[in-house]
Amino acid sequence: MIFRIYGFQIEMPIQYYVTIWKGSSFYEGTIEIFDEIGNIIRIDWNNLNKIIDKYKTPKDFFEKNIEEIKKIKDTYDYKLENYNWISDINHDYYFHKLSYKIITKFPKREISDYIIGFGVFCKNSNRFITIQYRPPEKGKDIGDKAIEIISSFKCYCLE
């Protein structure tokens, strides 16, 4: 199923749900795409003018977040994978998956975790759009499906 709003679209399974946060508008908002077992893919967008002074590229934005995760005590074994997305000169992007392990204190155990992140600077609509997925603590992980859904993102900023 194709979900389209405010000049961008994403493809998702027909049985998924969509929540549009109250107050969302063309220049700022949040949408959550989720399934019945707690997997959430979150889309946020903001006016690019609010971001561009601090982060010159989407990669700069995510690298700061990645460094913050690496500072968390008891995390280790980091693996960063980058993905391609169909882009053009007006859409700078960064698409990645950061995997890592965490040692919990009580009960003491090792947990594998990851975050998938996608960000695009749309110079035509002057927006920064991010899409992120992190698997729920309990329930079935949809990592490969999340990558497929995020990869389907398209910007229709000139229509």
Side-chain angles (χ1 to χ4, degrees):
M1 174 176 74
I2 294 174
F3 176 78
R4 190 171 183 181
I5 190 170
Y6 295 130
F8 59 82
Q9 83 174 30
I10 198 158
E11 293 180 38
M12 61 185 191
I14 197 162
Q15 67 272 22
Y16 280 33
Y17 305 93
V18 175
T19 298
I20 302 169
W21 286 28
K22 185 178 180 179
S24 293
S25 67
F26 183 83
Y27 280 110
E28 187 173 325
T30 299
I31 295 170
E32 290 181 337
I33 298 169
F34 57 97
D35 64 12
E36 64 282 343
I37 58 173
N39 288 287
I40 299 171
I41 297 171
R42 182 174 164 150
I43 305 171
D44 295 290
W45 63 97
N46 212 317
N47 189 319
L48 187 55
N49 291 336
K50 294 181 179 181
I51 306 294
I52 199 79
D53 289 336
K54 190 171 183 180
Y55 305 105
K56 299 299 180 198
T57 67
K59 185 176 182 180
D60 292 343
F61 172 82
F62 283 109
E63 282 181 342
K64 182 173 181 345
N65 291 328
I66 290 168
E67 290 307 313
E68 292 299 317
I69 290 170
K70 288 181 175 181
K71 289 179 185 176
I72 298 171
K73 189 178 177 197
D74 299 323
T75 61
Y76 67 99
D77 199 17
Y78 303 98
K79 180 181 173 190
L80 184 63
E81 299 172 69
N82 292 301
Y83 300 98
N84 290 319
W85 178 70
I86 298 169
S87 182
D88 62 42
I89 194 164
N90 292 310
H91 293 88
D92 296 334
Y93 79 95
Y94 187 63
F95 189 9
H96 71 283
K97 176 180 178 181
L98 175 66
S99 304
Y100 54 93
K101 293 183 180 172
I102 304 168
I103 301 286
T104 62
K105 300 235 184 265
F106 185 80
K108 189 161 178 115
R109 62 187 169 129
E110 179 183 88
I111 299 172
S112 293
D113 198 7
Y114 66 90
I115 297 174
I116 298 171
F118 170 83
V120 62
F121 282 3
C122 176
K123 296 172 188 166
N124 293 326
S125 68
N126 201 41
R127 293 183 293 178
F128 178 37
I129 303 157
T130 61
I131 308 173
Q132 297 185 70
Y133 170 75
R134 184 177 190 173
E137 286 185 32
K138 294 183 171 128
K140 187 178 177 196
D141 174 6
I142 61 159
D144 291 337
K145 178 55 85 177
I147 290 170
E148 181 183 323
I149 291 168
I150 295 167
S151 295
S152 76
F153 175 84
K154 290 186 174 111
C155 194
Y156 290 94
C157 51
L158 295 176
E159 290 186 5

